[in-house]
Amino acid sequence: MTVPMPDPARLAAWMRAHVADFSGDLRIEKFSGGQSNPTYHLSAGDRHYVLRRKPPGILLPSAHAVDREFRIISSLARTDVPVAHAYALCEDDAVIGSMFYVMSFVSGRIFWDARLPDVSTVQRTAMYDELNRVLASLHGVDPVAAGLGDYGRSEHFVARQIARWTRQYRAAETESIDAMERLIDWLPQYIPADDEVRIVHGDFRLDNVIFDPTTPRILAVLDWELSTLGPPLVDLAYFCMRWRMPPTLLDGLYGTDCAGLGIPDEASFVAAYLKRIGRPAIPTADWEFYIVFNMFRLVSILQGVAARARQGNASNAAAIDTARQARPLAKLAWKIAQHWTPSSRQP
C-alpha cells in the first residue's frame, strides 16, 4: 500500500490548536527523500513547516520513534547544535493515522552525493570541516545539562545494540545472508571497553544536514530517529565508514580521489575530530570494531527497509533498490572483520 497523505482539514484543525500563529489554508507536499519516517512540507500563506510521522502498518519494535526525535530537537535547541524548531508532538493516531510532530522548515541545501560535485574544491573542504565541527559539538553536549540524562541507558551500549539490531534483523529478515550470520557471532566477542557516554545521533551523514544556501555553515541536523546515549565513537565511525565503501555501495568514497576534490581522507577527518574534542588517538582495535559494527547495524536497517517495501508502506519509492545493498554491505563488513585480528582481545 502507498502511505496515505494526511487529511488537510483534520491536520489544519490540529495545527490551529497546537502551533502558535498558524492560520490559513493548509497545503501538503511529501518530500521524496528518506527511507524511514514519511516527511511532508506544510505551507499556509507565507509560513512553512515540516511534519514527520510514523509510517502506518506493522512496524518493528522501537522503530520510527518520532516522539524521541521531537524530544531531542526540543532539548538541543538550547545548545550549540543546529536543529530545527520543534512546535508540537501529536500522539493521537486519529489525526492523520499515526504519531507525528511538526517542526520549522529550514531553507537551505541538502546534498546526496558525498563527492559534492556541485560545489568548489574550497567549499568541499569547508563543508566537511563543518560536518566535523557539528559532530564534535554534539558530542560536547552534557546529556544531563541538556535534560537528556535519561534518554538512554549508559551501560553496555554496544552489547545491547548488537542484541537489538540482531533482533531487528531477524524480525525483518527477507533473505538469508551468510556474512550477516558470521557477524552476529563475531561481534559480541570483540566489544571494546565501555567508553564515555554522550548524545549520539545514530545516523549522522551528509544528507541528514541542511547547509546554508550560500555558505558552508550547517543550519540544522535532521533525522534524529536513532539518537540515544552512547559512546561518541559509534557516531564518528558511522560517518567514516563511507570512506570504506565503494561508490556503487550507498554512495561510498572508497577509491575516490578525495585529495583532488578537497575532501579529507578518513584519517584526517578523525584527527580533526579528536583535536576538537581533546581526545587522544583511538586504539586501532576499537576503531575497526566500530566500523564493522556500524556496517552490521546498517545491514539490519536495510533489511527493515526491504520488509516495509514488501508490505507496501516504505517511505521512499526507491526503497527496494536501497535494500538490495544489504548483502554486499554485509560481505564488506565481514571482509574487514576477517582482515582485522585484535590480538589483545582474542576470544
Side-chain angles (χ1 to χ4, degrees), residues 115-334:
R115 283 157 289 279
L116 296 170
D118 298 324
V119 304
S120 68
T121 300
V122 172
Q123 281 241 328
R124 285 189 202 103
T125 301
M127 291 167 81
Y128 268 87
D129 189 63
E130 174 72 347
L131 286 159
N132 192 290
R133 181 194 70 81
V134 169
L135 186 60
S137 294
L138 172 63
H139 296 160
V141 173
D142 181 340
V144 175
L148 295 166
D150 62 345
Y151 195 61
R153 293 168 56 191
S154 58
E155 73 284 354
H156 309 305
F157 173 87
V158 175
R160 289 186 289 103
Q161 284 280 299
I162 293 170
R164 174 193 175 183
W165 290 107
T166 297
R167 290 193 300 270
Q168 299 284 62
Y169 173 77
R170 296 288 186 221
E173 197 167 4
T174 57
E175 60 176 339
S176 177
I177 301 176
D178 180 67
M180 195 64 169
E181 300 299 330
R182 295 177 183 273
L183 289 169
I184 288 170
D185 290 337
W186 183 88
L187 283 163
Q189 302 179 63
Y190 298 106
I191 298 173
D194 279 353
D195 196 6
E196 63 179 333
V197 176
R198 290 292 172 177
I199 301 165
V200 292
H201 181 275
D203 196 14
F204 188 82
R205 61 178 195 257
L206 177 66
D207 54 288
N208 272 339
V209 304
I210 299 176
F211 281 93
D212 180 85
T214 59
T215 73
R217 183 167 64 97
I218 292 175
L219 301 180
V221 180
L222 307 175
D223 198 356
W224 293 86
E225 178 191 346
L226 296 175
S227 60
T228 188
L229 301 184
L233 291 184
V234 171
D235 256 2
L236 180 63
Y238 180 82
F239 185 87
C240 288
M241 72 179 176
R242 189 148 314 232
W243 276 285
R244 307 292 185 100
M245 301 187 297
T248 55
L249 184 56
L250 298 172
D251 190 37
L253 287 170
Y254 183 80
T256 299
D257 179 15
C258 289
L261 292 174
I263 297 172
D265 58 20
E266 178 188 320
S268 298
F269 191 89
V270 171
Y273 170 90
L274 295 177
K275 182 177 180 180
R276 277 195 163 101
I277 64 172
R279 180 172 180 146
I282 306 166
T284 300
D286 292 358
W287 182 246
E288 295 299 312
F289 175 90
Y290 285 126
I291 292 288
V292 173
F293 163 74
N294 273 296
M295 290 183 176
F296 154 81
R297 189 184 66 141
L298 186 52
V299 172
S300 180
I301 292 170
L302 292 174
Q303 284 286 70
V305 171
R308 292 198 307 277
R310 294 189 181 194
Q311 293 169 4
N313 63 350
S315 175
N316 191 313
I320 294 177
D321 288 338
T322 301
R324 291 193 181 107
Q325 302 291 309
R327 182 179 293 275
L329 182 59
K331 287 182 177 180
L332 175 59
W334 179 236

Side-chain angles (χ1 to χ4, degrees), residues 6 25 55 64 106 110 141 145 147 166 217 332 345:
D25 295 328
H64 311 284
V106 179
I110 296 179
V141 173
T166 297
R217 183 167 64 97
L332 175 59
R345 290 204 301 273

